[in-house]
Amino acid sequence: MTQSAPGPSVLEMIAAKRSGHRLGAGDIQSLFSSYLGGEVGDEQMAALLMAICWRGMDSDELSGWTGAMVGSGVRLDLTALSRPTVDKHSTGGVGDKVSLVLAPLVAACGAAVPQLSGRGLGHTGGTLDKMESIPGWRAELTATEMLETLETVGCVICAASPELAPADRRLYALRDRTGTVDSLPLIASSIISKKVAEGTGALLLDVKVGTGAFLPEIGQARALAQTMLELATAYGVKTAALLTEMDTPLGQAVGNALEVSEAIEVLHGGGPTDLRELVVQEAREMLQLVGLSADPKKALDDGRAWASFSAMVRAQGGDPDAALPQGATLHVVEAERGGVLWKLDAKDIGVASWRLGAGRASAHDSVSPGAGVICRAIRGQMVSRGDPLLELVGDEPSKVGSALAALTQAIEIRDDPYPESPKVLERLLPQRDGGAGPN
Ligand code: URA
């Protein structure tokens, strides 16, 4: 009887990757089983992750790596829903409350949006932290509750269950501790494995570019978007991507309850123009992906999107009409001279908001729902000396000093007019057609 040769050991895989060789899909699959089974240690996986950071992965390896992450847990089946499914993933930005409006808006237009979201770590906020400022709202849903809400309301915003891509959960925590987060194939496989496991049929990627973004440079952002597009498409998820500008906060509110309140303004047909326009454009993209022709602008203005939001919040135990937690005004940053506001820096404002209590420094910290920053003026606006520019809000006056320290370079006022700048910088589609699965 012939026996198949045993696969490479983890040490051989580390050495192979370190030398720039490719890893086979079957070997990656057994590596993941051994890692989750405890036979391969964190230190060995960390060494391999570091080798991947240096050497990268080709498209077959990336597909194999992603498949192993998806296969490490359950894969939801949303095909029994009566609506087409479409989700959105944003790489995260300052004041990015788009999901709060977009999910109910797209639901109001006839699709189902399974928006599995995370909590914030660092200067960009997390969608779950924002939603949790709504009294009674609950992020954890059972699979049955999620499916029921998707069918009846058309959207959920909830935490991903621990059974979805559990390997990613462990690897992400390990990458966070070993300086291996910043790898394009590892980021792409982490994001796309969760979307494939959640079972969405279509996906819009919003890859942010600019000072407040995870990847500030447009070249890096484009490369990440293109990699994710090809990967998701190979897994049969119909995908499009937008590169959107994140040099200045989106909308005027930064911080959990402040952002919910601004999202509610948009759901009532008002709110800041940049936010409203981006939401409408993203809704159009998502509807196009699933072949629906409803007009999202109309659904915002006639109250249907608000009705979907209210129904979703109620289905998750919350009261959409309840008063939101409010912090006190702790300090107002004023214009030092008159002129045109050329810079209101996203990253600096995100860090200030985080330091006021809106964000957490480590995964187990809690957040202060009422804390954050309100932009009293927007980039490109004429201001006079003494005009309020930023309002710092929170519960702890002792935090104002460190928030202000983050803002020393955040503002620039000049005499010349600010040029028109679009929020959507590029729209990308996959370069090759997807098949039924990875090759
Ligand atoms: N977000 C994820 O989900 N994974 C990454 O690796 C980076 C950002």
Side-chain angles (χ1 to χ4, degrees), residues 88-106:
K88 184 225 38 161
H89 177 83
S90 160
T91 54
V94 176
D96 184 2
K97 69 281 290 175
V98 165
S99 295
L100 279 58
V101 186
L102 190 62
L105 173 58
V106 172

Side-chain angles (χ1 to χ4, degrees), residues 89 168 172 175 181 186-188 190-191 194 214:
H89 177 83
D168 174 63
Y172 200 14
R175 287 165 57 209
V181 169
L186 292 178
I187 297 169
S190 166
I191 292 171
K194 286 175 280 199
F214 182 54

